[in-house]
Amino acid sequence: LTVHNTMTIVSTVFPIAVVAALAALSLSSCTTDAFVVRPYRISEASSLWCPSSSSSTILYSDWSDFGVLEDEEDDDILMSDGIAVDRRDYAKEEDSQEAKDQVGATLDPPTIEGGDVEPLFVPAGSQLELSEENVLAILSACRQEIGTLFGYTAENRGVGITGGVDFVDLDGPSVILRLKGRFWHQRTTVLDRVANYLQSRIPEIIDVTVEDEWQLTDEANEVF
């Protein structure tokens, strides 16, 4: 395509609309810098044609150096069989509390799902009525009173304890919970400790289970 017999535009990959736009740009009365269009950058070249200059050629990349940008891999996550596995570095048990807090402060605490209510602190042996409201309140107290099991404090998260417990349902005299995150103790031990805390304050609870038995496995303990 020749513009005013003085500017030749060579293009094998760009649409006519782009070529026409550049041709229109060349008709401006001011001299500016030309550019070579590439897939991802613009670099300076010679001067664009203006009425006061003779001719200039604009060439386009042949896209030979075009590539797809790969997503950056998160070093804290390792995908294994479609499951995100936690491989973050945590503080050691012998590290100072300040060091643990600093590491833990970079991590979010476990979310509380199924009902976040004010904790009800009563001693073991209490005779509370079985109700969802009481279960939620006692579970909330449990998260604090046996808090070394969970990741609700920065210190615990700092050493790799990121686990939490959620209320799922009340099925007659059975309480159904959800375990998530990473625990130092066996997950069956965590469930037993929570069950004992609930049942020693609400004796009508017959059973405390998890919604999915997989949540009690070692594999579940490594999921990010």
Side-chain angles (χ1 to χ4, degrees), residues 90-95 100 147-151 155-164 180-190 218 221-222:
Y90 297 99
K92 297 179 176 59
E93 187 175 6
E94 61 270 19
D95 289 342
K100 296 173 185 176
T148 54
L149 296 177
F150 307 114
E155 181 181 355
N156 284 4
R157 294 194 301 277
V159 294
I161 303 174
T162 62
K180 59 187 181 184
R182 192 167 182 256
F183 298 93
W184 268 12
H185 297 78
Q186 290 288 326
R187 296 168 80 89
T188 52
T189 301
V190 175
D218 291 338
N221 208 47
E222 297 302 324

Side-chain angles (χ1 to χ4, degrees), residues 32-96:
T32 183
D33 287 336
F35 52 88
V36 177
V37 180
R38 297 189 182 279
Y40 51 87
R41 63 181 180 271
I42 297 176
S43 58
E44 296 182 354
S46 59
S47 295
L48 267 173
W49 175 88
C50 283
S52 60
S53 52
S54 56
S55 66
S56 181
T57 300
I58 298 178
L59 299 176
Y60 300 101
S61 168
D62 61 0
W63 294 76
S64 60
D65 54 355
F66 178 76
V68 177
L69 294 176
E70 300 291 342
D71 292 336
E72 294 185 4
E73 181 179 352
D74 190 334
D75 292 336
D76 292 336
I77 304 174
L78 175 65
M79 295 303 295
S80 176
D81 297 328
I83 298 176
V85 177
D86 186 354
R87 62 176 188 181
R88 292 172 291 195
D89 291 327
Y90 297 99
K92 297 179 176 59
E93 187 175 6
E94 61 270 19
D95 289 342
S96 67

Side-chain angles (χ1 to χ4, degrees), residues 157-217:
R157 294 194 301 277
V159 294
I161 303 174
T162 62
V165 58
D166 289 328
F167 173 81
V168 175
D169 196 12
L170 181 61
D171 184 13
S174 297
V175 175
I176 303 173
L177 303 176
R178 176 184 301 122
L179 294 182
K180 59 187 181 184
R182 192 167 182 256
F183 298 93
W184 268 12
H185 297 78
Q186 290 288 326
R187 296 168 80 89
T188 52
T189 301
V190 175
L191 180 63
D192 288 343
R193 292 281 302 277
V194 174
N196 180 67
Y197 190 95
L198 295 176
Q199 290 174 307
S200 65
R201 291 158 176 81
I202 309 176
E204 292 180 67
I205 296 176
I206 301 300
D207 193 21
V208 179
T209 63
V210 288
E211 60 178 346
D212 186 342
E213 289 296 319
W214 178 82
Q215 295 173 10
L216 300 178
T217 66

